[in-house]
């Protein structure tokens, strides 16, 4: 089983719609969780951290379910500029900064 | 801040040649990471340094790969000899307290 698993997509969603991604992780001792965004032929960039209580940043909401070991990302009122690959990222070991990246979910927003 | 700087941005070389990739982390960051990204394997951590000391090199593929960090503002990743299967995008990232910032990457093609 992969350490971090994501549905690769692609997700093709009309502009203005709401889209949700899920990600599962295998190590129950994982400490920190993130969503990164990667545009085509660009570097990954931090979108948001994911906290146990859930957190929101504008149109983006991230949730963590430790019992089921999954993380979700919800994008509301999607924009054309949201088209990208979204990477689920997990830090498995406290005190070790190593991050494990999922293979990403590709999202295309359709006008 | 200029962000993480990598050079060269593109490298095309022939099998058997030595390749050196360079990275300048963000000033003040105490951890530096080298990643490799391919379509087949996604983003893989090769090695990471903390305060210039290698902490985890379990992702380094084989003896052909080596990395150094002689000071807090510079790191190199060397491949000698290079092989076609080393073709990938190599990213350097730096961090302070777990949030990693990526450089633009070096696109390596080994013919």
């Amino acid at each position: 089983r992969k350490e971090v698993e994501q549905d690769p997509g692609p997700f093709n969603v009309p502009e203005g719609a709401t889209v949700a991604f899920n990600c599962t992780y295998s190590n129950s001792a994982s400490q920190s969780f993130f969503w990164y965004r990667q545009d085509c032929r660009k570097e990954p960039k931090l979108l948001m951290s994911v906290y146990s209580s859930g957190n929101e940043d504008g149109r983006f909401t991230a949730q963590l379910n430790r019992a089921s070991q999954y993380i979700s990302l919800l994008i509301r009122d999607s924009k054309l500029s949201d088209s990208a690959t979204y990477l689920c990222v997990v830090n498995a070991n406290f005190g070790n900064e190593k991050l494990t990246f999922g293979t990403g979910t590709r999202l295309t927003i359709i006008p | 801040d200029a962000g993480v700087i990598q050079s060269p941005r593109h490298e095309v070389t022939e099998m058997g040649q030595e390749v050196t990739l360079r990275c300048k982390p963000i000033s003040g960051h105490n951890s530096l990471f080298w990643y490799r990204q391919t379509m087949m394997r996604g983003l893989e951590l090769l090695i990471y340094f903390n305060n210039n000391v290698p902490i985890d090199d379990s992702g380094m593929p084989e003896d052909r790969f080596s990395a150094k960090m002689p000071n807090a503002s510079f790191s190199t990743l060397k491949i000698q000899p290079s092989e076609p299967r080393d073709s990938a995008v190599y990213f350097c990232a730096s961090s302070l307290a777990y949030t990693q910032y990526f450089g633009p990457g070096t696109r390596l093609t080994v013919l």
Side-chain angles (χ1 to χ4, degrees), chain A residues 36 38 43 46 95-97 99, chain B residues 31 37 48 95 98 100 103:
Chain A
Y36 274 70
Q38 186 172 22
E43 72 273 22
L46 178 67
N96 182 320
E97 291 189 66
L99 297 181
Chain B
S31 293
Q37 187 173 41
Y48 96 86
S95 78
Y98 291 86
Q100 294 188 18

Side-chain angles (χ1 to χ4, degrees), chain B residues 50-87:
Chain B
N50 181 260
N51 293 324
N52 312 337
V53 176
I55 301 300
D56 187 335
D57 66 354
S58 58
M60 294 288 264
E62 49 199 271
D63 292 347
R64 298 185 297 107
F65 285 68
S66 62
K68 294 182 180 180
M69 191 164 187
N71 58 62
S73 59
F74 184 66
S75 177
T76 59
L77 177 68
K78 187 175 293 187
I79 308 172
Q80 165 65 14
S82 59
E83 296 182 2
R85 60 191 169 121
D86 300 331
S87 298

Side-chain angles (χ1 to χ4, degrees), chain A residues 72-93:
Chain A
S72 65
L73 177 68
L74 183 78
I75 306 175
R76 291 181 300 278
D77 187 23
S78 54
K79 312 291 185 189
L80 295 177
S81 57
D82 295 334
S83 297
T85 296
Y86 290 83
L87 302 166
C88 176
V89 185
V90 175
N91 169 251
N93 301 300

Side-chain angles (χ1 to χ4, degrees), chain A residues 32 34 36 38 41-46 49 87 91 93-99 101-103, chain B residues 30-31 33 35 37 41-43 45 48 50 56 58 91 95 97-100 102-104 107:
Chain A
S32 306
F34 309 89
Y36 274 70
Q38 186 172 22
R41 300 180 76 85
K42 298 286 189 180
E43 72 273 22
K45 293 184 178 179
L46 178 67
S49 301
L87 302 166
N91 169 251
N93 301 300
F94 184 76
N96 182 320
E97 291 189 66
K98 179 177 179 178
L99 297 181
F101 285 74
T103 51
Chain B
N30 58 358
S31 293
F33 306 80
Y35 291 90
Q37 187 173 41
R41 299 173 68 91
L43 195 62
L45 177 68
Y48 96 86
N50 181 260
D56 187 335
S58 58
F91 288 106
S95 78
Y98 291 86
T99 300
Q100 294 188 18
F102 283 73
R107 187 170 296 273

